[in-house]
Amino acid sequence: RGFLSVRGSHTLERFVNQVGRDVTDPKQKITVLQRALVRKLADDPSDALVDSEGGLRIAALGSGSDYSPFLQHLGIPSLNLSYSGESSGGSYHSCYDSFDHYSRFGDPDFEYGVTLAKTTGRLTLRAANAEVLPFDFTNLARTVATYVEEIIQLADSMRESTVRLNRNIREGNLKAAANPAQTYVPPAPLSPVPFLNFSPLQNAVAQLQESARLYRKTLDSVLSGQLSNSIREELNRLLMQTERLLTSEKGLPGLPWYTHLIYAPGLYTGYGVKTLPAVREAIEQRQWQEVDPQTNRTAAAIKSLAEQIARATQVLKRAGFSGY
């Protein structure tokens, strides 16, 4: 009971927002998208949770539910949706996880169960009946660019903290600050954090952003047009493969079943998500020799996606719509 929460593939972010504008919250009588945005902005007054079109930015998926084999193993775009925030928690995996508890405390009027069905029902029917698969890549490109910025900042902050820690060890500050009544063994110095080359990722993301921009512009120009069956089928075949290009058959280091190079559960986080997992965890685990290979592998996947999007744009242009 409460607010729409969505995690999943960012190729579906725009699609989710379109549906969220068409479902009404049963209590507040505004759209579920409006209510979710109001809650997000109340928690964080910045606009970090709102996209440039006034839509909700969805979160990334880790693992732990039915979507895992589809997204993380096979590279099939997936979503996880719920309504929550106003019902009592704590019943999950307990004897109180019952129909009686749900009908008394969870959603007594069964209104949010209906609202969830209206949301997922619209998503399912619109996806099934869409002439062109409802994928948008501009939101994905923006999100992946954010992930790249995060790992650059991660490396920089680790470098600075390593310098501070090693200086404190070398100068005896940690030992001097310790309780003299207790045995204290100072930690060993950490290896310095090298300056890492993230330019392959940055270049691949720039290519993805441009391909995504041109695809959306071209597609928007054909929405009122009529695509032939052959063009539509060719376009959808290309689009259907896009997310799969972000996977690697050899899987992630230490997690070979998980093949997605953008979203995965962390090696030590249980269900918790790690974005750009191969690169991020190589940095976090100070496996410096692995950073370049994983950076190049992830960048190659992003570049392959950008090239596939460009091919889809060319199919649309062959239909007689330039997008300009």
Side-chain angles (χ1 to χ4, degrees):
R1 187 171 77 241
F3 305 90
L4 174 64
S5 174
V6 186
R7 294 175 178 268
S9 304
H10 287 85
T11 50
L12 297 172
E13 186 173 86
R14 193 184 191 199
F15 183 41
V16 167
N17 280 285
Q18 290 168 346
V19 168
R21 293 184 177 95
D22 293 333
V23 180
T24 301
D25 182 272
K27 297 295 186 184
Q28 297 293 353
K29 306 305 179 185
I30 60 176
T31 70
V32 296
L33 178 64
Q34 286 176 291
R35 191 153 194 243
L37 288 171
V38 168
R39 173 63 175 270
K40 296 282 188 186
L41 292 174
D43 292 341
D44 181 357
S46 74
D47 61 357
L49 301 169
V50 180
D51 69 17
S52 59
E53 298 177 336
L56 187 67
R57 291 186 176 178
I58 67 176
L61 280 173
S63 187
S65 194
D66 302 6
Y67 51 76
S68 285
F70 295 97
L71 180 63
Q72 273 104 12
H73 186 61
L74 298 174
I76 298 173
S78 304
L79 292 171
N80 190 40
L81 297 92
S82 64
Y83 284 88
S84 60
E86 292 184 334
S87 54
S88 59
S91 64
Y92 186 51
H93 285 327
S94 78
C95 62
Y96 296 102
D97 191 0
S98 64
F99 178 81
D100 182 63
H101 186 278
Y102 182 85
S103 59
R104 292 175 62 190
F105 305 110
D107 184 16
D109 299 320
F110 292 87
E111 289 180 320
Y112 282 94
V114 171
T115 304
L116 181 59
K118 289 180 178 179
T119 309
T120 56
R122 280 175 166 83
L123 287 164
T124 303
L125 290 171
R126 291 183 188 183
N129 290 288
E131 290 196 357
V132 175
L133 290 172
F135 298 162
D136 181 81
F137 303 100
T138 54
N139 295 38
L140 172 67
R142 182 206 61 225
T143 302
V144 174
T146 300
Y147 296 158
V148 172
E149 291 171 5
E150 288 174 358
I151 62 171
I152 293 173
Q153 292 171 6
L154 171 64
D156 289 342
S157 64
M158 285 180 65
R159 185 178 302 108
E160 294 169 5
S161 64
T162 297
V163 169
R164 287 195 302 269
L165 175 64
N166 288 347
R167 183 176 61 246
N168 282 325
I169 294 171
R170 184 176 62 253
E171 296 176 357
N173 296 335
L174 297 182
K175 187 174 182 179
N179 185 344
Q182 298 177 353
T183 301
Y184 175 74
V185 178
L190 295 174
S191 61
V193 178
F195 286 89
L196 303 164
N197 179 20
F198 296 112
S199 60
L201 276 176
Q202 292 169 310
N203 290 331
V205 168
Q207 184 177 346
L208 176 61
Q209 289 173 321
E210 181 62 11
S211 290
R213 184 189 69 81
L214 290 175
Y215 174 77
R216 179 192 277 199
K217 189 172 185 178
T218 308
L219 181 64
D220 286 347
S221 74
V222 310
L223 289 180
S224 59
Q226 184 66 41
L227 295 177
S228 68
N229 287 339
S230 60
I231 290 291
R232 187 169 58 249
E233 289 172 5
E234 184 179 359
L235 178 62
N236 282 329
R237 278 196 299 270
L238 291 171
L239 295 175
M240 187 177 66
Q241 297 295 326
T242 51
E243 190 99 23
R244 300 177 198 185
L245 294 172
L246 295 173
T247 65
S248 171
E249 286 187 5
K250 65 185 293 187
L252 299 175
L255 294 171
W257 187 85
Y258 292 92
T259 67
H260 208 295
L261 294 170
I262 307 299
Y263 321 108
L267 192 60
Y268 300 108
T269 59
Y271 298 154
V273 66
K274 292 283 185 178
T275 52
L276 303 183
V279 182
R280 188 183 296 269
E281 294 203 313
I283 296 171
E284 290 175 342
Q285 297 168 27
R286 309 179 77 88
Q287 297 175 344
W288 310 125
Q289 75 284 356
E290 283 295 312
V291 176
D292 278 352
Q294 300 304 334
T295 294
N296 292 331
R297 181 162 72 126
T298 304
I302 295 170
K303 184 179 179 181
S304 294
L305 172 61
E307 292 169 350
Q308 183 84 339
I309 296 168
R311 285 190 283 270
T313 302
Q314 290 303 314
V315 170
L316 285 172
K317 289 180 177 181
R318 285 210 319 271
F321 303 94
S322 68
Y324 296 98

